[in-house]
């Protein structure tokens, strides 16, 4: 993308303040990830997996979290961009004496799906004049709980260091002037002239391997090759995809972000790269999103297949099948990136939270919630996959039938809903409609696959669910669907009703529902998930603090408007929403217009998935695909 913003900073105190989320870039090797600030500081990094213990966590604690900065010592300005179709980040620093370019990546290699390098690589090139630079490496392992033991390693051509603490270890090398600063930090200062180059490699390595000296450190010249290999890997991958619509550049950037959030060994896609970035700056809406949600699998199939990345969509689909399969009674709404089911939620007391907005949570108690839209998501996933030429085998069909039985047993019960409400359970309209969608998809699939099925029973229950929703989840006075039974509150999740086939986009009820959502939930051109009731201490959802505007919901509204023939209105809303992304085309979960900043975990996979489908819906040559495969007995 073009460089659009310029930042100016004084590097005298690199740990002086928390950076806004939009100041960060995202790098990944499809195993782990890091966030890099516009001042050249890596303030968040979890290795060897997205959901591992953080080694650099200044993002969540300015003093104790630790960071890895490479920054000019004099006042500077910086601009940045990704190398085209990669997650290799370039930051250009300009001082009064010269210009340097910092390139950051987590290195990729062929065959790295199961054997990654686990290497953070930083290379600085002198472009003009000269620039004095300062390097400060302060690892703080296990979310800041451990100040590591740093030792010098003998017998190498340049300074090499081991970093050990608890169950984690790292090997740092590459920079001739690097030296210890006490027992727990590494520092360096040097002047880089035009044409010169400096490199730093940080490789994850278990402490026992370091202790036994069973490791191999790369030579300096190899580091340059690794950067080229990483760039080539990403660009070869991107060549498989293609985007149209008004912003194909943002769609492809989103594809790279989604690929970067993918756990290569399993195919899981993390909901986000971070934990505990607050959705509200006044409350306790801080959650760990470094896990994989079932409902995101459906959005992923829609978005990634539309861009041509069917392999990634299939990987996520198969991950969900493996993790969810077994007993439908044991289904979870989310899983660990390796398929783990137990995700206990604990508070990390060593970190104060971004801008002191705690708590910092690891794990997610919502994994044990009952959310009945899950059944619809799994059947919709199977149906969409069949739409592009793939059939469920006998074993998976048996599992899908068990899932239908679970939907039949549970559709009439209250649940926590798509937003994982931690207050009282309710009869959410979206959850009921998703159970209807599960039966609808099963009936359609069974017919298309010539599978024996209890069509009369399924059809009757499907009809019962529809009647129940239309009786209790529909406000006859206004002629609109509502959030939950027997209330009049609106919910952006209702925008998904046409996508799951419950109602056509052009149905008068849906037209009125969309208008009502815009009237009641839109502020400053962006959409709330739902209207919180009462003051900040009584939101009606069991949590405190007024959250920001949920960006994925606004993209859902764009898609609805486009499918209703309101393209100009949809395009204006799309442009308003993409405008809140940062200069790199990255989006968080939410946006706070009062403070003009992103909030929530970052980068957020669901936001990028929804951007892709919204952009595709605005393609002038496209037609909206409506999931309205209803059978005769449901009319």
């Amino acid at each position: 993308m073009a460089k659009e913003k310029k930042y100016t900073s004084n590097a005298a105190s690199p740990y002086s303040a928390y950076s806004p989320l939009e100041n960060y870039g995202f790098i990944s090797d499809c195993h782990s990830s890091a966030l890099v600030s516009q001042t050249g500081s890596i303030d968040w990094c979890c290795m060897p997996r997205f959901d591992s213990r953080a080694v650099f966590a200044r993002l969540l604690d300015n003093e104790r979290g630790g960071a890895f900065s490479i920054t000019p010592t004099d006042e500077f300005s910086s601009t940045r961009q990704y190398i085209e179709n990669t997650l290799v980040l370039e930051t250009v620093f300009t001082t009064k004496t010269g210009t340097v370019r910092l390139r950051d990546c987590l290195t990729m290699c062929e065959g790295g799906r199961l054997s990654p390098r686990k290497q953070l690589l930083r290379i600085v090139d002198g472009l003009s004049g000269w620039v004095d630079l300062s390097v400060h490496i302060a690892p703080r392992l296990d979310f800041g709980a451990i100040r590591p033991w740093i030792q010098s390693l003998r017998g190498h051509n340049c300074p090499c260091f081991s970093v050990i603490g608890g169950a984690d270890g790292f090997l740092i090398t590459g920079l001739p002037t690097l030296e210890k600063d006490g027992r727990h930090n590494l520092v360096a200062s040097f002047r880089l002239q035009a044409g010169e180059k400096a490199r730093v490699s940080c490789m994850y390595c278990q402490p026992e391997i370091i202790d036994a000296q069973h490791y191999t450190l790369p030579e300096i010249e190899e580091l340059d090759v690794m950067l080229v290999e990483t760039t080539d890997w990403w660009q070869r991958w991107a060549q498989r995809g293609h985007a149209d619509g008004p912003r194909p550049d943002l769609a492809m950037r989103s594809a790279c972000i989604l690929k970067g959030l993918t756990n290569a060994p399993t195919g899981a896609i993390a909901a986000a790269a971070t934990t505990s970035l607050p959705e509200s700056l006044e409350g306790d809406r801080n959650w760990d999103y470094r896990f994989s949600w079932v409902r995101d699998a459906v959005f992923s199939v829609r978005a990634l297949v539309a861009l041509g990345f069917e392999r990634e969509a299939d990987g996520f689909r198969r991950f969900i099948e493996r993790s969810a399969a077994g007993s439908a009674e044991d289904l979870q709404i989310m899983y660990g990136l390796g398929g783990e089911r137990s995700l206990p939620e604990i508070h990390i007391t060593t970190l104060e939270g971004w801008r002191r907005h705690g708590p910092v949570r690891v794990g997610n108690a919502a994994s044990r919630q009952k959310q009945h839209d899950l059944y619809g998501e799994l059947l919709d996933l199977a149906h969409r996959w069949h739409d592009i030429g793939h059939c469920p085998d006998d074993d998976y069909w048996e599992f899908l039938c068990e899932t239908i039985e679970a939907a039949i047993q549970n559709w009439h019960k209250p649940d926590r809903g798509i937003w994982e409400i931690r207050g009282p359970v309710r009869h959410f309209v979206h959850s009921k409609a998703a159970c209807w969608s599960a039966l609808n998809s099963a009936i359609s699939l069974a017919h298309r696959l010539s599978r024996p099925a209890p069509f009369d029973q399924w059809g009757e229950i499907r009809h019962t669910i529809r009647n129940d929703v239309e009786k209790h989840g529909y406000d006859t006075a206004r002629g609109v669907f509502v959030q939950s039974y027997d209330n009049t509150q609106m919910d952006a999740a209702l925008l998904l009703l046409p996508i799951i086939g419950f109602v056509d986009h052009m149905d008068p009820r849906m037209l009125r529902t969309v208008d009502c959502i815009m009237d009641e939930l839109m502020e400053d051109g962006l959409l709330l998930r739902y209207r919180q009731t009462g003051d900040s201490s009584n939101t009606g959802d069991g949590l405190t603090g007024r959250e920001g505007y949920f960006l994925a919901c606004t993209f859902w509204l764009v898609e609805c408007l486009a499918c209703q023939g309101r393209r100009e209105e949809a395009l204006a809303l799309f442009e308003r929403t993409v405008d809140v992304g940062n200069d790199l085309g990255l989006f968080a979960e939410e946006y706070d217009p009062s403070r003009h900043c992103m909030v929530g975990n970052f980068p957020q996979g669901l936001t990028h998935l929804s951007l892709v489908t919204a952009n595709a819906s605005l393609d002038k040559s496209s037609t909206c695909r409506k999931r309205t495969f209803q059978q005769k007995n449901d009319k």
Side-chain angles (χ1 to χ4, degrees):
M1 294 183 64
K3 294 176 286 186
E4 298 173 354
K5 298 181 181 179
K6 180 173 285 191
Y7 306 88
T8 301
S9 176
N10 189 302
S13 178
Y15 295 93
S16 61
Y18 289 97
S19 288
L21 301 186
E22 42 268 84
N23 284 4
Y24 286 102
F26 169 71
I27 58 175
S28 168
D29 62 356
C30 301
H31 295 267
S32 53
S33 64
L35 297 184
V36 187
S37 79
Q38 91 283 357
T39 61
S41 179
I42 293 177
D43 291 345
W44 179 255
C45 181
C46 295
M47 295 178 76
R49 212 169 77 165
F50 299 102
D51 53 356
S52 298
R53 299 172 293 270
V55 57
F56 301 119
R58 180 177 177 246
L59 180 72
L60 296 179
D61 195 299
N62 195 52
E63 298 297 328
R64 292 175 292 181
F68 179 178
S69 65
I70 300 179
T71 312
T73 58
D74 296 325
E75 186 174 307
F76 65 90
S77 63
S78 67
T79 55
R80 60 189 179 167
Q81 64 180 2
Y82 285 107
I83 297 177
E84 186 177 7
N85 289 332
T86 75
L87 286 185
V88 178
L89 181 64
E90 293 186 334
T91 305
V92 175
F93 299 116
T94 301
T95 71
K96 61 184 179 180
T97 61
T99 302
V100 296
R101 176 184 61 198
L102 170 64
R103 286 176 288 180
D104 286 308
C105 68
L106 283 153
T107 61
M108 308 291 290
C109 60
E110 294 301 327
R113 178 174 175 268
L114 297 178
S115 301
R117 289 197 180 112
K118 306 175 187 177
Q119 178 190 34
L120 175 62
L121 178 60
R122 316 194 75 185
I123 296 181
V124 193
D125 297 285
L127 301 182
S128 67
W130 54 268
V131 176
D132 288 329
L133 293 154
S134 174
V135 177
H136 189 100
I137 306 175
R140 297 295 181 263
L141 307 184
D142 200 358
F143 297 103
I146 300 174
R147 293 192 299 168
W149 182 22
I150 297 180
Q151 294 178 284
S152 298
L153 302 177
R154 308 296 181 185
H156 300 280
N157 294 332
C158 65
C160 301
F161 301 89
S162 65
V163 177
I164 295 175
D168 298 309
F170 295 85
L171 297 167
I172 299 177
T173 187
L175 192 63
T177 59
L178 198 62
E179 60 184 6
K180 291 173 61 176
D181 179 20
R183 295 188 59 199
H184 311 298
N185 304 313
L186 293 169
V187 297
S189 297
F190 59 97
R191 175 170 293 180
L192 201 66
Q193 304 275 357
E196 294 180 338
K197 190 184 298 282
R199 312 157 184 87
V200 186
S201 166
C202 178
M203 299 181 66
Y204 180 86
C205 193
Q206 286 89 349
E208 60 271 21
I209 293 177
I210 294 175
D211 189 56
Q213 299 184 2
H214 286 168
Y215 56 83
T216 301
L217 289 172
E219 299 293 334
I220 294 297
E221 296 75 14
E222 292 181 276
L223 299 179
D224 297 333
V225 174
M226 290 173 178
L227 177 63
V228 173
E229 288 177 348
T230 300
T231 302
D232 290 346
W233 187 97
W234 279 105
Q235 292 180 338
R236 285 196 306 273
W237 173 82
Q239 286 175 355
R240 293 175 20 221
H242 175 73
D244 294 308
R247 291 299 303 269
D249 57 329
L250 281 178
M252 287 302 296
R253 172 53 51 209
S254 291
C256 287
I257 298 303
L258 294 167
K259 179 65 174 176
L261 288 171
T262 301
N263 182 47
T266 65
I269 299 179
T274 56
T275 179
S276 302
L277 292 177
E279 299 170 10
S280 169
L281 300 185
E282 293 87 20
D284 58 354
R285 299 169 179 268
N286 299 22
W287 316 114
D288 192 348
Y289 275 12
R290 299 171 301 153
F291 308 114
S292 200
W293 269 252
V294 171
R295 79 172 53 89
D296 287 5
V298 179
F299 287 99
S300 298
V301 169
R302 293 180 68 219
L304 293 172
V305 168
L307 292 173
F309 297 107
E310 188 171 314
R311 185 185 306 169
E312 283 68 29
D314 185 41
F316 197 5
R317 180 192 64 84
R318 288 186 288 109
F319 165 77
I320 293 299
E321 289 181 4
R322 291 193 308 271
S323 301
S327 171
E329 290 298 320
D330 297 327
L331 285 173
Q332 294 188 183
I333 64 167
M334 73 177 80
Y335 297 90
L337 299 180
E340 297 87 355
R341 302 177 66 87
S342 179
L343 307 174
E345 184 175 293
I346 62 173
H347 290 188
I348 301 298
T349 58
T350 53
L351 302 176
E352 67 179 8
W354 183 70
R355 294 186 174 178
R356 299 184 177 177
H357 290 287
V360 174
R361 292 182 167 103
V362 172
N364 199 314
S367 61
R368 308 308 301 175
Q369 285 187 358
K370 295 298 182 183
Q371 299 177 19
H372 297 152
D373 67 299
L374 176 66
Y375 310 121
E377 311 294 357
L378 287 169
L379 268 296
D380 195 21
L381 180 63
H383 199 287
R384 289 184 185 278
W385 202 244
H386 181 265
D387 283 346
I388 57 175
H390 306 279
C391 296
D393 59 23
D394 291 344
D395 290 333
Y396 195 58
W397 176 252
E398 181 180 357
F399 172 70
L400 293 175
C401 289
E402 290 181 6
T403 303
I404 286 297
E405 290 305 311
I408 291 171
Q409 294 297 319
N410 292 295
W411 75 265
H412 62 283
K413 300 176 183 177
D415 72 340
R416 300 288 179 177
I418 187 174
W419 304 129
E420 297 166 7
I421 301 297
R422 298 201 176 193
V425 293
R426 307 177 196 173
H427 292 279
F428 288 100
V429 167
H430 174 263
S431 296
K432 309 291 187 188
C435 289
W436 174 94
S437 175
L439 286 152
N440 205 44
S441 296
I443 292 170
S444 178
L445 265 178
H447 278 299
R448 294 169 68 180
L449 298 171
S450 298
R451 293 272 188 179
F455 291 107
D456 290 342
Q457 179 198 9
W458 287 358
E460 181 180 349
I461 297 172
R462 179 183 62 178
H463 185 66
T464 299
I465 298 174
R466 173 175 287 283
N467 286 343
D468 200 67
V469 170
E470 292 178 344
K471 179 179 180 180
H472 299 288
Y474 184 73
D475 182 354
T476 56
R478 293 182 295 170
V480 298
F481 294 100
V482 292
Q483 181 187 58
S484 60
Y485 281 12
D486 302 320
N487 78 22
T488 59
Q489 190 171 359
M490 300 307 295
D491 189 328
L494 299 169
L495 296 169
L496 300 176
L497 296 184
I499 293 175
I500 64 177
F502 187 80
V503 63
D504 192 90
H505 281 101
M506 297 303 294
D507 186 301
R509 297 171 298 176
M510 195 63 210
L511 293 171
R512 292 190 294 267
T513 298
V514 167
D515 286 339
C516 194
I517 286 172
M518 293 175 68
D519 288 342
E520 297 191 13
L521 300 184
M522 182 174 284
E523 297 179 6
D524 195 25
L526 298 171
L527 211 61
L528 295 165
R529 293 188 294 179
Y530 47 84
R531 180 70 63 179
Q532 296 165 224
T533 58
D535 59 29
S536 61
S537 64
N538 180 24
T539 65
D541 56 12
L543 300 169
T544 60
R546 187 183 189 277
E547 67 176 15
Y549 300 139
F550 203 82
L551 298 177
C553 292
T554 313
F555 286 127
W556 297 347
L557 177 58
V558 169
E559 186 174 358
C560 271
L561 292 173
C563 292
Q564 291 177 346
R566 302 158 69 174
R567 188 179 184 279
E568 293 305 315
E569 195 176 354
L571 183 59
L573 183 61
F574 181 76
E575 291 173 347
R576 167 70 181 101
T577 312
V578 300
D579 187 56
V580 306
N582 73 1
D583 54 311
L584 296 171
L586 273 59
F587 294 83
E589 182 181 21
E590 300 181 9
Y591 183 76
D592 184 341
S594 64
R595 295 178 173 85
H596 304 288
C597 68
M598 295 184 189
V599 290
N601 284 300
F602 175 87
Q604 176 78 3
L606 184 58
T607 307
H608 285 275
L609 287 164
S610 303
L611 182 155
V612 169
T613 52
N615 179 72
S617 73
L618 291 167
D619 183 358
K620 291 182 178 180
S621 64
S622 72
T623 57
C624 292
R625 298 180 183 178
K626 304 180 182 66
R627 300 297 310 283
T628 53
F629 37 82
Q630 298 182 33
Q631 298 299 317
K632 179 178 171 182
N633 60 0
D634 191 45
K635 293 182 179 178

